[in-house]
Structures are given as C-alpha cells and as structure tokens.
Amino acid sequence: MSGREGAPIRVMLVDDQELLRAGFRMVLAAQPDIEVVAEAGDGARALEVLRGTDVDVVLMDVRMPGMDGVEATARIEGPKVLILTTFDLDEYALAAVKAGASGFLLKDVPPDDLLNAIRAVHAGDAVMAPSTLRRMLDRFAANLPDQDLPDGAGLTPREREVLLMVARGLSNLEIAAALEVAEATVKTHLGRVLAKLGLRDRAQAVVYAYEARLVVPSHRPRA
C-alpha cells in the first residue's frame, strides 16, 4: 500500500479554506486504507510540515496566499501531489503538472473519484481523465513556450508511437489493443519513454509531447 504493508495511505490536505479541508477530511476518514496525517493552509506551511511528517500523497490547492500550490509542488520531493483546480484555473493546473504533480482534480470532484484518484496516484499512475487534459492543453496550447525541445530524441519507433498515443489520451489498455500487444508491454515501453526523457509520469509525458510539438491541438501527430 504505502510502502508499509497493510498500512493506510498517508494523505496531507493543503488548502487555505478550512471548511473545504474539513469536507475532504470527513470523506477520507471513512476509508480504512486512507489516513489524513497532516494539514496546511498554504504552500510554505505545507513544506514546513512535510519536513517532519511522513506523507504519501499531498492534496494541494492551487491558489493560496503566500506560496501557491504550483511553487510548493515544485519544491516537494517524495510524496505524490494531486492538484485541486477549477475550470477557470486550468493554466495553473498545467503549470503544476509541469512542476511535478501527478495530476489534478476539480474541487467539486465526487467523493468516489477523489478516493480513486488518491489510490491511483499512490500506485504510481496519473489521475486526470485524458479528455480533461486534452481540453486543458487545447485551451492553452497557443500559449506554450516556443522552446527547442528534442523531438523524442533517443526513442525507438515503438516508444515514440506509445508516447503519441498517450498524448492523445489513450489508456494503456487501449494502446495495447491498438498495437496488438500485452498491456504489460505497453507499461514497459512507457516506462522507458519516461526514463529516456527524464519525465516523472504519464501527465508530464503528455505535456512533453505538446511542448515538443509531437502532437498539436487537433491531436494529429506531426509529420
């Protein structure tokens, strides 16, 4: 589970709205495999608490007084970070994913989706729905920095193919079906892609593919 067999996933809540933290705390407290071990009202305080608390997953608000969630996420090492956002703050969520967050949730996320997201991130997956991430990237693709990023340098043709499919929002199971290989094989290819490109997870792989112009908002690969 959390590196301690049989122990619950240790979660930290970071949000400047105490009422919102209380709501999340109530939902999480009802789960035998999840435990809220810490809370903070801003990014700076979160970093202080993390220095003395073992945490597996940080549920992080984006907009907070003082240090916001993006800056705090960039400074966190170890725990996985889930960003809380609203549709009108999608640009902050994108920045947080680039800073190292494993995904993002809307603040009005249904309880079951919140719980599943925490468990998925703890297991090493990215949690944003591919369609949601595509909409976000479509909206802000025009504002992505024009950098000379490597065009998938070092990737084999199959690894590049997997990267493009991930960027289009396909799941491992869907990629496996399209390529007529085992899902475990897809996971292996994706793991190599992340290692070669120095990326943390699936979320950053999608952002990389857009910034490297391997895919464009129409979701068609660049020739």
Side-chain angles (χ1 to χ4, degrees):
M1 302 189 72
S2 59
R4 304 159 298 147
E5 188 173 354
I9 301 170
R10 300 165 296 195
V11 174
M12 179 180 190
L13 305 176
V14 184
D15 196 295
D16 61 326
Q17 298 182 45
E18 186 173 350
L19 185 59
L20 188 60
R21 295 203 310 268
F24 283 133
R25 190 188 318 118
M26 289 178 61
V27 171
L28 301 184
Q31 304 303 308
D33 62 331
I34 297 176
E35 177 185 8
V36 176
V37 297
E39 297 183 31
D42 62 70
R45 178 57 182 160
L47 295 178
E48 292 177 5
V49 174
L50 282 171
R51 283 195 284 269
T53 308
D54 290 327
V55 173
D56 299 309
V57 177
V58 178
L59 201 58
M60 178 81 74
D61 187 19
V62 171
R63 178 173 283 182
M64 296 178 290
M67 184 185 296
D68 65 20
V70 175
E71 183 177 352
T73 296
R75 299 189 183 193
I76 290 177
E77 296 182 5
K80 302 295 179 63
V81 178
L82 267 176
I83 291 294
L84 291 169
T85 185
T86 55
F87 278 121
D88 61 335
L89 290 178
D90 280 348
E91 65 268 37
Y92 292 98
L94 175 57
V97 170
K98 292 167 66 177
S102 294
F104 61 89
L105 302 171
L106 299 179
K107 280 198 171 184
D108 60 354
V109 60
D112 285 347
D113 289 352
L114 171 65
L115 298 172
N116 290 336
I118 290 172
R119 293 174 181 129
V121 163
H122 181 249
D125 295 329
V127 302
M128 72 282 290
S131 59
T132 303
L133 183 59
R134 283 202 304 268
R135 286 197 304 271
M136 182 181 74
L137 288 169
D138 280 352
R139 181 177 175 186
F140 295 101
N143 298 321
L144 288 174
D146 187 14
Q147 302 176 29
D148 293 327
L149 297 177
D151 188 10
L155 300 184
T156 66
R158 179 47 59 91
E159 289 166 354
R160 178 185 168 89
E161 191 173 16
V162 169
L163 173 60
L164 292 176
M165 288 183 172
V166 167
R168 295 188 196 107
L170 275 65
S171 68
N172 286 349
L173 187 60
E174 291 169 332
I175 295 172
L179 298 180
E180 299 183 342
V181 298
E183 187 176 0
T185 301
V186 175
K187 291 180 180 179
T188 297
H189 286 313
L190 180 55
R192 289 172 179 164
V193 169
L194 298 179
K196 287 182 177 181
L197 299 179
L199 304 173
R200 179 169 176 170
D201 56 25
R202 190 185 204 93
Q204 290 194 337
V206 176
V207 172
Y208 170 89
Y210 272 76
E211 289 199 320
R213 303 299 193 264
L214 301 180
V215 290
V216 294
S218 63
H219 312 314
R220 283 179 289 185
R222 188 176 64 186

